[in-house]
Amino acid sequence: MVLPPTRRTHLRFGHAGRARNHGAAGRLRSGSVETTEDGPGAVILRAARPEDRTAIARIDGSFTTDRVLRVRRTDTGFEAAETAVDPPVRKTFPDDDCGEADDPGERTVVAEVRGRVCGFVTTVFQRWNRRLVVADLEVAPAHRGRGIGAALLARAVEEGRRLGAGHVWLEVTHLNAPAVRLYRRAGFELCGLDTSLYSGTASEGETALFMSRPL
């Protein structure tokens, strides 16, 4: 099953939160570099630079999954459980709307292998409620399965602590079971949902899941 392209309103682990353009490249702490592996193929995490914009925009955030989250009401709220689907679902995303204004609280960190950007995470800090929003997280298909998504998510959590956030929050479509597993392993829990968020878009019928992790 191939789903139609939608605007980038999902956090994606090759995947979904509310995506934005990446005009904030380079506004994270300069010199903030971390190596997650040793050797020539080591993964380097660093603050994004203005010259990374093209490489970031070219990352393919689409994914294919044979499991999705099914959401149902319960007497005390709701629950979401993984369910197998056949044929597998393939989800693709179009380019971002580059007309969106930069957010002064937006930060982007990239993952780099052999000098090439292969993933990134973008966060936005909301001061009024001390919330760090994971706005976008993507890893290029050829580099998935190496823990890069987990490393980028850990960097986002670290950024939240540095900024004094009370929690980290994100949005993900119910189709993205691989991403939900990643978030749960990182300590995120479901905190809400919206069945109408994607109404009027090519993603109509999908359910937005909200997940958070206290800091």
Side-chain angles (χ1 to χ4, degrees):
M1 178 186 303
V2 179
L3 296 177
T6 65
R7 60 191 177 90
R8 287 189 170 185
T9 53
H10 314 285
L11 277 171
R12 298 173 295 283
F13 171 55
H15 61 75
R18 189 171 303 278
R20 315 171 66 86
N21 64 24
H22 309 295
R27 288 212 296 259
L28 219 110
R29 293 172 291 167
S30 60
S32 180
V33 176
E34 175 186 344
T35 303
T36 64
E37 301 175 9
D38 295 324
V43 179
I44 296 174
L45 304 184
R46 61 168 175 79
R49 305 168 186 144
E51 58 267 29
D52 294 324
R53 292 182 184 179
T54 298
I56 288 172
R58 287 177 176 170
I59 290 178
D60 177 9
S62 64
F63 66 90
T64 300
T65 178
D66 60 1
R67 300 186 71 82
V68 301
L69 276 294
R70 295 298 187 194
V71 181
R72 70 179 187 88
R73 298 179 187 272
T74 67
D75 292 339
T76 57
F78 70 95
E79 65 178 17
E82 281 196 25
T83 303
V85 290
D86 186 22
V89 172
R90 176 169 174 76
K91 184 74 174 177
T92 60
F93 300 87
D95 293 336
D96 290 344
D97 178 4
C98 294
E100 190 172 336
D102 291 349
D103 188 314
E106 184 176 293
R107 303 288 185 270
T108 298
V109 169
V110 299
E112 184 179 84
V113 174
R114 301 182 188 274
R116 293 180 177 272
V117 173
C118 62
F120 70 94
V121 61
T122 297
T123 60
V124 179
F125 182 53
Q126 299 176 345
R127 294 186 180 279
W128 72 274
N129 62 350
R130 296 175 53 237
R131 166 182 285 181
L132 186 84
V133 176
V134 179
D136 206 358
L137 173 60
E138 298 188 41
V139 177
H143 295 276
R144 295 173 192 170
R146 298 181 57 184
I148 295 174
L152 287 167
L153 188 58
R155 175 61 76 90
V157 171
E158 175 189 324
E159 176 73 358
R161 290 196 181 102
R162 185 184 73 83
L163 293 170
H167 64 282
V168 182
W169 181 95
L170 58 85
E171 167 213 325
V172 58
T173 170
H174 81 281
L175 297 178
N176 205 343
V180 172
R181 288 195 293 269
L182 169 68
Y183 303 143
R184 281 174 164 161
R185 288 195 298 268
F188 287 77
E189 296 183 353
L190 289 172
C191 62
L193 60 83
D194 190 337
T195 59
S196 64
L197 184 63
Y198 309 132
S199 296
T201 76
S203 292
E204 184 147 8
E206 296 178 27
T207 297
L209 303 178
F210 305 135
M211 305 184 72
S212 66
R213 168 187 163 153
L215 297 180

